[in-house]
Amino acid sequence: MRRAGFFIRHFWVLQNAPFLSYLCPCRLKRAQFTHEEDVVAFGCTAMHYFCPFYWELSILHGLAGTVRGTGKTIPPMVVLLVSLCVFRIGWIQWVLPFFSSIDGIFLLYPVSWGLGALMMVGYAWKANWLET
């Protein structure tokens, strides 16, 4: 029982680390890697975009792994390719020119995670992936 508690506690910490790090002072955490103010500022900006939406990535990969575990490997692969590759290339090609700063790149990640999560939830809900 102690071993299960150990794993559950560590899993909780790993699962919630992005959110918990969002609550800590950003400058303090970034300064441990570099003391250049521009780098620290970009790191803080990235955290403000990534951390609140990191749960979307866990839904995407969790459902993709679950569906792959049933033997249906092609649909999760297509969803991941479309949301994490094709969509990002399209965003960089057509949407990024409307941004004048790096915020366009930072915004791309949570949007692509959300798109992939929605696609995987739709597939898991509507498709017959549980039937063999």
Side-chain angles (χ1 to χ4, degrees):
M1 187 64 179
R2 289 178 51 179
R3 177 177 269 175
F6 172 81
F7 286 114
I8 290 170
R9 184 172 46 253
H10 283 77
F11 175 76
W12 186 89
V13 168
L14 289 175
Q15 182 71 23
N16 293 305
F19 178 72
L20 294 174
S21 67
Y22 183 71
L23 298 176
C24 296
C26 192
R27 299 254 179 239
L28 177 65
K29 286 185 305 234
R30 295 292 164 247
Q32 65 186 340
F33 298 110
T34 183
H35 296 290
E36 295 182 36
E37 278 300 312
D38 290 341
V39 175
V40 173
F42 281 125
C44 290
T45 304
M47 285 186 66
H48 286 289
Y49 279 99
F50 297 163
C51 291
F53 301 103
Y54 207 67
W55 57 272
E56 295 173 339
L57 191 61
S58 68
I59 292 172
L60 171 61
H61 285 292
L63 284 175
T66 302
V67 173
R68 270 195 304 268
T70 64
K72 310 271 193 207
T73 57
I74 301 297
M77 179 192 67
V78 170
V79 167
L80 289 171
L81 280 174
V82 167
S83 65
L84 300 182
C85 295
V86 176
F87 177 75
R88 288 180 181 179
I89 292 169
W91 178 284
I92 290 170
Q93 186 71 32
W94 294 296
V95 177
L96 191 61
F98 294 105
F99 289 90
S100 61
S101 67
I102 198 166
D103 291 342
I105 293 292
F106 291 155
L107 185 61
L108 166 62
Y109 285 90
V111 171
S112 66
W113 298 339
L115 173 68
L118 286 174
M119 290 171 67
M120 275 311 302
V121 166
Y123 178 79
W125 187 35
K126 292 290 186 181
N128 59 354
W129 57 278
L130 286 175
E131 298 175 10
T132 57

Short mmCIF file of all heavy atoms in Angstrom, two decimals, residues 34-99:
data_model
loop_
_atom_site.label_atom_id
_atom_site.label_comp_id
_atom_site.label_asym_id
_atom_site.label_seq_id
_atom_site.Cartn_x
_atom_site.Cartn_y
_atom_site.Cartn_z
N THR A 34 19.24 31.50 -16.59
CA THR A 34 19.94 32.60 -17.23
C THR A 34 19.62 33.89 -16.50
O THR A 34 18.59 33.99 -15.83
CB THR A 34 19.57 32.72 -18.72
OG1 THR A 34 20.34 33.76 -19.30
CG2 THR A 34 18.10 33.02 -18.89
N HIS A 35 20.49 34.86 -16.65
CA HIS A 35 20.24 36.16 -16.02
C HIS A 35 19.96 37.25 -17.05
O HIS A 35 19.87 38.42 -16.70
CB HIS A 35 21.43 36.54 -15.13
CG HIS A 35 21.62 35.62 -13.98
ND1 HIS A 35 20.74 35.56 -12.92
CD2 HIS A 35 22.55 34.67 -13.72
CE1 HIS A 35 21.13 34.65 -12.05
NE2 HIS A 35 22.24 34.08 -12.52
N GLU A 36 19.83 36.87 -18.30
CA GLU A 36 19.49 37.85 -19.34
C GLU A 36 18.00 38.17 -19.25
O GLU A 36 17.16 37.29 -19.32
CB GLU A 36 19.83 37.28 -20.72
CG GLU A 36 21.30 37.06 -20.94
CD GLU A 36 21.58 36.54 -22.33
OE1 GLU A 36 20.87 36.96 -23.27
OE2 GLU A 36 22.49 35.72 -22.46
N GLU A 37 17.70 39.44 -19.10
CA GLU A 37 16.32 39.88 -18.88
C GLU A 37 15.39 39.54 -20.06
O GLU A 37 14.24 39.19 -19.84
CB GLU A 37 16.27 41.38 -18.60
CG GLU A 37 16.57 41.72 -17.17
CD GLU A 37 15.58 41.08 -16.20
OE1 GLU A 37 14.36 41.17 -16.42
OE2 GLU A 37 16.06 40.50 -15.21
N ASP A 38 15.88 39.63 -21.28
CA ASP A 38 15.04 39.32 -22.44
C ASP A 38 14.63 37.85 -22.46
O ASP A 38 13.48 37.51 -22.74
CB ASP A 38 15.76 39.66 -23.75
CG ASP A 38 15.90 41.16 -23.95
OD1 ASP A 38 15.15 41.91 -23.28
OD2 ASP A 38 16.75 41.57 -24.76
N VAL A 39 15.58 36.98 -22.14
CA VAL A 39 15.29 35.55 -22.13
C VAL A 39 14.29 35.23 -21.02
O VAL A 39 13.35 34.45 -21.22
CB VAL A 39 16.60 34.74 -21.95
CG1 VAL A 39 16.32 33.26 -21.81
CG2 VAL A 39 17.54 35.00 -23.12
N VAL A 40 14.48 35.82 -19.86
CA VAL A 40 13.55 35.61 -18.74
C VAL A 40 12.16 36.12 -19.10
O VAL A 40 11.15 35.48 -18.82
CB VAL A 40 14.09 36.29 -17.46
CG1 VAL A 40 13.07 36.23 -16.34
CG2 VAL A 40 15.40 35.64 -17.03
N ALA A 41 12.07 37.26 -19.76
CA ALA A 41 10.77 37.82 -20.14
C ALA A 41 10.06 36.92 -21.15
O ALA A 41 8.85 36.68 -21.04
CB ALA A 41 10.95 39.21 -20.73
N PHE A 42 10.79 36.39 -22.13
CA PHE A 42 10.17 35.47 -23.09
C PHE A 42 9.71 34.18 -22.41
O PHE A 42 8.65 33.64 -22.72
CB PHE A 42 11.14 35.14 -24.23
CG PHE A 42 11.23 36.20 -25.28
CD1 PHE A 42 12.45 36.74 -25.62
CD2 PHE A 42 10.09 36.67 -25.92
CE1 PHE A 42 12.55 37.73 -26.58
CE2 PHE A 42 10.18 37.65 -26.88
CZ PHE A 42 11.41 38.19 -27.22
N GLY A 43 10.50 33.70 -21.46
CA GLY A 43 10.11 32.49 -20.72
C GLY A 43 8.84 32.72 -19.91
O GLY A 43 7.96 31.86 -19.87
N CYS A 44 8.74 33.87 -19.28
CA CYS A 44 7.54 34.20 -18.51
C CYS A 44 6.32 34.33 -19.42
O CYS A 44 5.23 33.85 -19.09
CB CYS A 44 7.74 35.48 -17.72
SG CYS A 44 8.90 35.31 -16.37
N THR A 45 6.50 34.96 -20.56
CA THR A 45 5.39 35.08 -21.52
C THR A 45 4.95 33.72 -22.01
O THR A 45 3.74 33.44 -22.10
CB THR A 45 5.82 35.97 -22.71
OG1 THR A 45 6.25 37.22 -22.22
CG2 THR A 45 4.68 36.16 -23.68
N ALA A 46 5.90 32.85 -22.31
CA ALA A 46 5.55 31.50 -22.76
C ALA A 46 4.77 30.75 -21.69
O ALA A 46 3.79 30.07 -21.99
CB ALA A 46 6.82 30.74 -23.14
N MET A 47 5.18 30.87 -20.44
CA MET A 47 4.46 30.19 -19.36
C MET A 47 3.03 30.69 -19.22
O MET A 47 2.13 29.91 -18.92
CB MET A 47 5.21 30.34 -18.04
CG MET A 47 6.44 29.48 -17.97
SD MET A 47 7.20 29.54 -16.36
CE MET A 47 5.95 28.78 -15.36
N HIS A 48 2.82 31.96 -19.44
CA HIS A 48 1.47 32.50 -19.33
C HIS A 48 0.56 31.96 -20.43
O HIS A 48 -0.65 31.87 -20.25
CB HIS A 48 1.49 34.03 -19.36
CG HIS A 48 1.99 34.63 -18.09
ND1 HIS A 48 1.27 34.62 -16.93
CD2 HIS A 48 3.17 35.23 -17.79
CE1 HIS A 48 1.97 35.20 -15.96
NE2 HIS A 48 3.13 35.57 -16.47
N TYR A 49 1.14 31.61 -21.56
CA TYR A 49 0.35 30.99 -22.63
C TYR A 49 0.20 29.49 -22.44
O TYR A 49 -0.86 28.93 -22.71
CB TYR A 49 1.00 31.26 -23.99
CG TYR A 49 0.71 32.61 -24.57
CD1 TYR A 49 1.62 33.65 -24.46
CD2 TYR A 49 -0.48 32.85 -25.22
CE1 TYR A 49 1.36 34.89 -24.99
CE2 TYR A 49 -0.77 34.09 -25.76
CZ TYR A 49 0.15 35.10 -25.64
OH TYR A 49 -0.12 36.33 -26.17
N PHE A 50 1.25 28.80 -22.01
CA PHE A 50 1.24 27.33 -21.99
C PHE A 50 0.58 26.74 -20.76
O PHE A 50 -0.24 25.82 -20.87
CB PHE A 50 2.67 26.79 -22.08
CG PHE A 50 3.40 27.13 -23.34
CD1 PHE A 50 4.76 27.00 -23.40
CD2 PHE A 50 2.73 27.57 -24.47
CE1 PHE A 50 5.45 27.31 -24.56
CE2 PHE A 50 3.41 27.88 -25.63
CZ PHE A 50 4.77 27.75 -25.67
N CYS A 51 0.93 27.20 -19.59
CA CYS A 51 0.53 26.53 -18.35
C CYS A 51 -0.98 26.41 -18.14
O CYS A 51 -1.45 25.35 -17.73
CB CYS A 51 1.19 27.20 -17.15
SG CYS A 51 2.97 26.91 -17.11
N PRO A 52 -1.78 27.44 -18.40
CA PRO A 52 -3.21 27.27 -18.15
C PRO A 52 -3.88 26.25 -19.08
O PRO A 52 -4.97 25.76 -18.78
CB PRO A 52 -3.79 28.67 -18.41
CG PRO A 52 -2.65 29.60 -18.31
CD PRO A 52 -1.46 28.83 -18.75
N PHE A 53 -3.25 25.93 -20.19
CA PHE A 53 -3.89 25.04 -21.18
C PHE A 53 -3.17 23.72 -21.34
O PHE A 53 -3.47 22.98 -22.27
CB PHE A 53 -3.96 25.77 -22.53
CG PHE A 53 -4.72 27.05 -22.45
CD1 PHE A 53 -4.05 28.26 -22.43
CD2 PHE A 53 -6.10 27.04 -22.37
CE1 PHE A 53 -4.75 29.45 -22.35
CE2 PHE A 53 -6.81 28.21 -22.28
CZ PHE A 53 -6.14 29.42 -22.27
N TYR A 54 -2.23 23.42 -20.48
CA TYR A 54 -1.45 22.19 -20.63
C TYR A 54 -2.31 20.94 -20.47
O TYR A 54 -1.98 19.88 -20.98
CB TYR A 54 -0.30 22.19 -19.62
CG TYR A 54 0.89 21.38 -20.06
CD1 TYR A 54 1.65 21.77 -21.14
CD2 TYR A 54 1.24 20.22 -19.40
CE1 TYR A 54 2.74 21.04 -21.55
CE2 TYR A 54 2.32 19.47 -19.81
CZ TYR A 54 3.07 19.89 -20.88
OH TYR A 54 4.14 19.15 -21.29
N TRP A 55 -3.43 21.06 -19.78
CA TRP A 55 -4.33 19.93 -19.60
C TRP A 55 -4.89 19.45 -20.93
O TRP A 55 -5.24 18.27 -21.07
CB TRP A 55 -5.47 20.31 -18.64
CG TRP A 55 -6.25 21.51 -19.08
CD1 TRP A 55 -5.97 22.81 -18.81
CD2 TRP A 55 -7.41 21.51 -19.92
NE1 TRP A 55 -6.89 23.63 -19.41
CE2 TRP A 55 -7.79 22.87 -20.09
CE3 TRP A 55 -8.16 20.53 -20.52
CZ2 TRP A 55 -8.89 23.23 -20.86
CZ3 TRP A 55 -9.26 20.89 -21.28
CH2 TRP A 55 -9.61 22.24 -21.44
N GLU A 56 -5.00 20.34 -21.91
CA GLU A 56 -5.49 19.93 -23.23
C GLU A 56 -4.57 18.88 -23.85
O GLU A 56 -5.04 17.93 -24.49
CB GLU A 56 -5.59 21.12 -24.17
CG GLU A 56 -6.60 22.16 -23.77
CD GLU A 56 -6.56 23.39 -24.64
OE1 GLU A 56 -5.53 23.64 -25.29
OE2 GLU A 56 -7.57 24.11 -24.68
N LEU A 57 -3.28 19.05 -23.66
CA LEU A 57 -2.32 18.11 -24.21
C LEU A 57 -2.45 16.74 -23.53
O LEU A 57 -2.30 15.71 -24.19
CB LEU A 57 -0.90 18.65 -24.05
CG LEU A 57 0.21 17.92 -24.78
CD1 LEU A 57 -0.03 17.94 -26.29
CD2 LEU A 57 1.55 18.53 -24.45
N SER A 58 -2.76 16.72 -22.24
CA SER A 58 -2.93 15.44 -21.56
C SER A 58 -4.18 14.71 -22.06
O SER A 58 -4.17 13.48 -22.18
CB SER A 58 -2.99 15.64 -20.04
OG SER A 58 -4.16 16.33 -19.67
N ILE A 59 -5.25 15.44 -22.37
CA ILE A 59 -6.44 14.80 -22.95
C ILE A 59 -6.10 14.23 -24.33
O ILE A 59 -6.45 13.09 -24.64
CB ILE A 59 -7.60 15.80 -23.04
CG1 ILE A 59 -8.10 16.17 -21.64
CG2 ILE A 59 -8.73 15.24 -23.90
CD1 ILE A 59 -9.10 17.28 -21.63
N LEU A 60 -5.41 15.01 -25.13
CA LEU A 60 -5.04 14.58 -26.48
C LEU A 60 -4.21 13.30 -26.43
O LEU A 60 -4.56 12.29 -27.07
CB LEU A 60 -4.27 15.69 -27.19
CG LEU A 60 -3.61 15.36 -28.53
CD1 LEU A 60 -4.64 14.93 -29.55
CD2 LEU A 60 -2.82 16.55 -29.02
N HIS A 61 -3.15 13.30 -25.67
CA HIS A 61 -2.27 12.13 -25.63
C HIS A 61 -2.88 10.97 -24.86
O HIS A 61 -2.64 9.80 -25.20
CB HIS A 61 -0.91 12.51 -25.06
CG HIS A 61 -0.06 13.27 -26.02
ND1 HIS A 61 0.45 12.71 -27.17
CD2 HIS A 61 0.35 14.56 -26.03
CE1 HIS A 61 1.15 13.62 -27.83
NE2 HIS A 61 1.09 14.76 -27.15
N GLY A 62 -3.65 11.27 -23.83
CA GLY A 62 -4.31 10.19 -23.08
C GLY A 62 -5.30 9.42 -23.93
O GLY A 62 -5.31 8.18 -23.95
N LEU A 63 -6.15 10.15 -24.64
CA LEU A 63 -7.12 9.48 -25.51
C LEU A 63 -6.44 8.80 -26.69
O LEU A 63 -6.85 7.70 -27.10
CB LEU A 63 -8.17 10.47 -26.00
CG LEU A 63 -9.23 10.87 -24.99
CD1 LEU A 63 -10.13 11.95 -25.57
CD2 LEU A 63 -10.04 9.67 -24.57
N ALA A 64 -5.42 9.42 -27.24
CA ALA A 64 -4.70 8.80 -28.36
C ALA A 64 -4.06 7.49 -27.91
O ALA A 64 -4.14 6.47 -28.62
CB ALA A 64 -3.64 9.75 -28.91
N GLY A 65 -3.46 7.48 -26.75
CA GLY A 65 -2.87 6.25 -26.23
C GLY A 65 -3.90 5.18 -25.92
O GLY A 65 -3.68 3.99 -26.15
N THR A 66 -5.05 5.60 -25.41
CA THR A 66 -6.12 4.65 -25.13
C THR A 66 -6.63 4.00 -26.40
O THR A 66 -6.80 2.78 -26.46
CB THR A 66 -7.28 5.36 -24.39
OG1 THR A 66 -6.78 5.94 -23.19
CG2 THR A 66 -8.39 4.41 -24.07
N VAL A 67 -6.87 4.79 -27.41
CA VAL A 67 -7.37 4.24 -28.68
C VAL A 67 -6.29 3.36 -29.32
O VAL A 67 -6.59 2.29 -29.85
CB VAL A 67 -7.82 5.38 -29.63
CG1 VAL A 67 -8.17 4.83 -31.00
CG2 VAL A 67 -9.02 6.11 -29.03
N ARG A 68 -5.03 3.79 -29.27
CA ARG A 68 -3.95 2.97 -29.82
C ARG A 68 -3.86 1.63 -29.10
O ARG A 68 -3.53 0.62 -29.70
CB ARG A 68 -2.62 3.70 -29.72
CG ARG A 68 -2.31 4.55 -30.90
CD ARG A 68 -0.84 4.96 -30.92
NE ARG A 68 -0.40 5.65 -29.72
CZ ARG A 68 -0.41 6.96 -29.57
NH1 ARG A 68 -0.83 7.74 -30.52
NH2 ARG A 68 0.01 7.50 -28.45
N GLY A 69 -4.13 1.64 -27.80
CA GLY A 69 -4.07 0.41 -27.01
C GLY A 69 -5.10 -0.63 -27.42
O GLY A 69 -4.94 -1.82 -27.14
N THR A 70 -6.17 -0.20 -28.08
CA THR A 70 -7.18 -1.15 -28.55
C THR A 70 -6.83 -1.73 -29.91
O THR A 70 -7.57 -2.55 -30.43
CB THR A 70 -8.56 -0.47 -28.64
OG1 THR A 70 -8.52 0.56 -29.62
CG2 THR A 70 -9.00 0.07 -27.31
N GLY A 71 -5.73 -1.28 -30.50
CA GLY A 71 -5.32 -1.79 -31.79
C GLY A 71 -5.63 -0.88 -32.96
O GLY A 71 -5.22 -1.14 -34.08
N LYS A 72 -6.38 0.17 -32.72
CA LYS A 72 -6.70 1.14 -33.78
C LYS A 72 -5.62 2.23 -33.76
O LYS A 72 -5.73 3.20 -33.03
CB LYS A 72 -8.07 1.77 -33.56
CG LYS A 72 -9.18 0.80 -33.31
CD LYS A 72 -9.80 0.38 -34.60
CE LYS A 72 -11.08 -0.32 -34.24
NZ LYS A 72 -11.64 -1.24 -34.98
N THR A 73 -4.59 2.06 -34.55
CA THR A 73 -3.44 2.97 -34.48
C THR A 73 -3.50 4.10 -35.49
O THR A 73 -2.91 5.15 -35.26
CB THR A 73 -2.14 2.19 -34.69
OG1 THR A 73 -2.21 1.51 -35.95
CG2 THR A 73 -1.94 1.18 -33.57
N ILE A 74 -4.19 3.91 -36.60
CA ILE A 74 -4.20 4.91 -37.66
C ILE A 74 -4.96 6.18 -37.26
O ILE A 74 -4.46 7.29 -37.47
CB ILE A 74 -4.74 4.32 -38.98
CG1 ILE A 74 -3.88 3.14 -39.42
CG2 ILE A 74 -4.83 5.38 -40.07
CD1 ILE A 74 -2.45 3.49 -39.74
N PRO A 75 -6.19 6.11 -36.71
CA PRO A 75 -6.91 7.34 -36.37
C PRO A 75 -6.17 8.26 -35.39
O PRO A 75 -6.09 9.46 -35.65
CB PRO A 75 -8.23 6.84 -35.79
CG PRO A 75 -8.43 5.50 -36.41
CD PRO A 75 -7.05 4.92 -36.54
N PRO A 76 -5.58 7.75 -34.30
CA PRO A 76 -4.83 8.67 -33.43
C PRO A 76 -3.63 9.28 -34.14
O PRO A 76 -3.30 10.46 -33.92
CB PRO A 76 -4.38 7.80 -32.26
CG PRO A 76 -5.30 6.65 -32.26
CD PRO A 76 -5.70 6.42 -33.68
N MET A 77 -2.97 8.49 -35.01
CA MET A 77 -1.84 9.03 -35.75
C MET A 77 -2.28 10.18 -36.64
O MET A 77 -1.62 11.22 -36.72
CB MET A 77 -1.18 7.94 -36.60
CG MET A 77 -0.02 8.45 -37.42
SD MET A 77 0.55 7.30 -38.66
CE MET A 77 -0.84 7.25 -39.77
N VAL A 78 -3.42 10.01 -37.31
CA VAL A 78 -3.92 11.07 -38.20
C VAL A 78 -4.29 12.31 -37.39
O VAL A 78 -3.97 13.43 -37.79
CB VAL A 78 -5.12 10.55 -39.02
CG1 VAL A 78 -5.81 11.68 -39.76
CG2 VAL A 78 -4.66 9.47 -39.99
N VAL A 79 -4.94 12.13 -36.26
CA VAL A 79 -5.32 13.27 -35.42
C VAL A 79 -4.08 14.03 -34.95
O VAL A 79 -4.02 15.26 -35.01
CB VAL A 79 -6.19 12.82 -34.23
CG1 VAL A 79 -6.32 13.92 -33.19
CG2 VAL A 79 -7.56 12.37 -34.70
N LEU A 80 -3.07 13.29 -34.48
CA LEU A 80 -1.85 13.94 -34.01
C LEU A 80 -1.13 14.63 -35.16
O LEU A 80 -0.62 15.75 -34.98
CB LEU A 80 -0.94 12.92 -33.34
CG LEU A 80 -1.44 12.41 -31.97
CD1 LEU A 80 -0.59 11.25 -31.50
CD2 LEU A 80 -1.43 13.52 -30.95
N LEU A 81 -1.07 14.02 -36.31
CA LEU A 81 -0.41 14.66 -37.45
C LEU A 81 -1.14 15.93 -37.89
O LEU A 81 -0.51 16.95 -38.17
CB LEU A 81 -0.32 13.69 -38.64
CG LEU A 81 0.80 12.67 -38.58
CD1 LEU A 81 0.68 11.69 -39.72
CD2 LEU A 81 2.14 13.35 -38.60
N VAL A 82 -2.46 15.87 -37.92
CA VAL A 82 -3.23 17.03 -38.36
C VAL A 82 -3.12 18.17 -37.35
O VAL A 82 -2.86 19.32 -37.71
CB VAL A 82 -4.71 16.65 -38.61
CG1 VAL A 82 -5.58 17.89 -38.75
CG2 VAL A 82 -4.82 15.78 -39.84
N SER A 83 -3.29 17.85 -36.06
CA SER A 83 -3.33 18.92 -35.06
C SER A 83 -1.95 19.44 -34.68
O SER A 83 -1.79 20.64 -34.42
CB SER A 83 -4.07 18.46 -33.82
OG SER A 83 -3.37 17.41 -33.18
N LEU A 84 -0.95 18.57 -34.64
CA LEU A 84 0.36 19.00 -34.16
C LEU A 84 1.36 19.29 -35.27
O LEU A 84 2.43 19.83 -35.00
CB LEU A 84 0.95 17.94 -33.21
CG LEU A 84 0.11 17.65 -31.96
CD1 LEU A 84 0.81 16.64 -31.08
CD2 LEU A 84 -0.20 18.91 -31.19
N CYS A 85 1.02 18.95 -36.51
CA CYS A 85 1.95 19.22 -37.62
C CYS A 85 1.29 20.09 -38.69
O CYS A 85 1.70 21.22 -38.91
CB CYS A 85 2.44 17.92 -38.24
SG CYS A 85 3.42 16.92 -37.11
N VAL A 86 0.27 19.55 -39.34
CA VAL A 86 -0.34 20.25 -40.47
C VAL A 86 -0.96 21.58 -40.03
O VAL A 86 -0.76 22.61 -40.67
CB VAL A 86 -1.39 19.35 -41.16
CG1 VAL A 86 -2.10 20.09 -42.27
CG2 VAL A 86 -0.72 18.09 -41.69
N PHE A 87 -1.71 21.56 -38.93
CA PHE A 87 -2.32 22.79 -38.44
C PHE A 87 -1.27 23.84 -38.09
O PHE A 87 -1.43 25.02 -38.39
CB PHE A 87 -3.21 22.49 -37.23
CG PHE A 87 -3.82 23.72 -36.62
CD1 PHE A 87 -4.88 24.36 -37.25
CD2 PHE A 87 -3.32 24.25 -35.45
CE1 PHE A 87 -5.44 25.51 -36.70
CE2 PHE A 87 -3.86 25.39 -34.89
CZ PHE A 87 -4.93 26.02 -35.52
N ARG A 88 -0.19 23.39 -37.46
CA ARG A 88 0.86 24.34 -37.08
C ARG A 88 1.55 24.95 -38.29
O ARG A 88 1.88 26.13 -38.30
CB ARG A 88 1.88 23.66 -36.17
CG ARG A 88 1.34 23.39 -34.79
CD ARG A 88 2.35 22.72 -33.90
NE ARG A 88 1.78 22.46 -32.59
CZ ARG A 88 2.43 21.87 -31.62
NH1 ARG A 88 3.68 21.47 -31.80
NH2 ARG A 88 1.84 21.66 -30.45
N ILE A 89 1.77 24.14 -39.32
CA ILE A 89 2.38 24.68 -40.54
C ILE A 89 1.44 25.70 -41.19
O ILE A 89 1.87 26.77 -41.63
CB ILE A 89 2.73 23.54 -41.51
CG1 ILE A 89 3.88 22.70 -40.93
CG2 ILE A 89 3.10 24.08 -42.89
CD1 ILE A 89 4.14 21.41 -41.67
N GLY A 90 0.15 25.38 -41.24
CA GLY A 90 -0.82 26.32 -41.78
C GLY A 90 -0.89 27.60 -40.96
O GLY A 90 -0.99 28.70 -41.52
N TRP A 91 -0.85 27.48 -39.65
CA TRP A 91 -0.87 28.65 -38.77
C TRP A 91 0.34 29.55 -39.05
O TRP A 91 0.20 30.77 -39.17
CB TRP A 91 -0.86 28.19 -37.31
CG TRP A 91 -0.83 29.28 -36.29
CD1 TRP A 91 0.24 30.05 -35.93
CD2 TRP A 91 -1.92 29.75 -35.50
NE1 TRP A 91 -0.10 30.94 -34.95
CE2 TRP A 91 -1.43 30.77 -34.66
CE3 TRP A 91 -3.25 29.38 -35.39
CZ2 TRP A 91 -2.23 31.44 -33.73
CZ3 TRP A 91 -4.05 30.04 -34.46
CH2 TRP A 91 -3.54 31.06 -33.66
N ILE A 92 1.51 28.94 -39.12
CA ILE A 92 2.72 29.72 -39.37
C ILE A 92 2.66 30.39 -40.75
O ILE A 92 3.09 31.53 -40.92
CB ILE A 92 3.97 28.83 -39.22
CG1 ILE A 92 4.15 28.48 -37.74
CG2 ILE A 92 5.21 29.52 -39.77
CD1 ILE A 92 5.19 27.43 -37.48
N GLN A 93 2.08 29.69 -41.70
CA GLN A 93 2.03 30.23 -43.06
C GLN A 93 1.01 31.37 -43.19
O GLN A 93 1.30 32.38 -43.81
CB GLN A 93 1.66 29.10 -44.04
CG GLN A 93 1.71 29.49 -45.48
CD GLN A 93 3.14 29.69 -45.97
OE1 GLN A 93 4.06 29.04 -45.50
NE2 GLN A 93 3.31 30.60 -46.90
N TRP A 94 -0.20 31.20 -42.62
CA TRP A 94 -1.28 32.14 -42.89
C TRP A 94 -1.71 33.02 -41.72
O TRP A 94 -2.22 34.11 -41.92
CB TRP A 94 -2.50 31.39 -43.42
CG TRP A 94 -2.22 30.77 -44.75
CD1 TRP A 94 -1.94 31.44 -45.91
CD2 TRP A 94 -2.18 29.39 -45.06
NE1 TRP A 94 -1.72 30.54 -46.91
CE2 TRP A 94 -1.87 29.27 -46.43
CE3 TRP A 94 -2.37 28.23 -44.33
CZ2 TRP A 94 -1.74 28.06 -47.07
CZ3 TRP A 94 -2.24 27.02 -44.97
CH2 TRP A 94 -1.93 26.93 -46.32
N VAL A 95 -1.55 32.57 -40.48
CA VAL A 95 -2.01 33.35 -39.33
C VAL A 95 -0.88 34.16 -38.70
O VAL A 95 -1.09 35.31 -38.29
CB VAL A 95 -2.67 32.43 -38.28
CG1 VAL A 95 -3.10 33.21 -37.05
CG2 VAL A 95 -3.85 31.69 -38.89
N LEU A 96 0.31 33.59 -38.62
CA LEU A 96 1.43 34.26 -37.96
C LEU A 96 1.76 35.63 -38.54
O LEU A 96 2.15 36.52 -37.77
CB LEU A 96 2.66 33.35 -37.99
CG LEU A 96 3.82 33.79 -37.11
CD1 LEU A 96 3.40 33.85 -35.65
CD2 LEU A 96 5.00 32.87 -37.30
N PRO A 97 1.62 35.88 -39.85
CA PRO A 97 1.93 37.23 -40.35
C PRO A 97 1.07 38.34 -39.74
O PRO A 97 1.45 39.51 -39.81
CB PRO A 97 1.66 37.11 -41.86
CG PRO A 97 1.91 35.69 -42.17
CD PRO A 97 1.43 34.94 -40.96
N PHE A 98 -0.07 38.00 -39.11
CA PHE A 98 -0.92 39.01 -38.48
C PHE A 98 -0.42 39.40 -37.09
O PHE A 98 -0.94 40.33 -36.49
CB PHE A 98 -2.36 38.52 -38.39
CG PHE A 98 -3.01 38.36 -39.73
CD1 PHE A 98 -3.21 37.10 -40.26
CD2 PHE A 98 -3.38 39.47 -40.48
CE1 PHE A 98 -3.80 36.94 -41.51
CE2 PHE A 98 -3.96 39.33 -41.72
CZ PHE A 98 -4.17 38.06 -42.24
N PHE A 99 0.57 38.70 -36.56
CA PHE A 99 1.15 39.01 -35.25
C PHE A 99 2.47 39.73 -35.46
O PHE A 99 3.25 39.38 -36.33
CB PHE A 99 1.39 37.72 -34.45
CG PHE A 99 0.13 37.06 -33.97
CD1 PHE A 99 -0.51 36.12 -34.75
CD2 PHE A 99 -0.40 37.39 -32.74
CE1 PHE A 99 -1.67 35.51 -34.31
CE2 PHE A 99 -1.55 36.79 -32.28
CZ PHE A 99 -2.19 35.85 -33.07
#
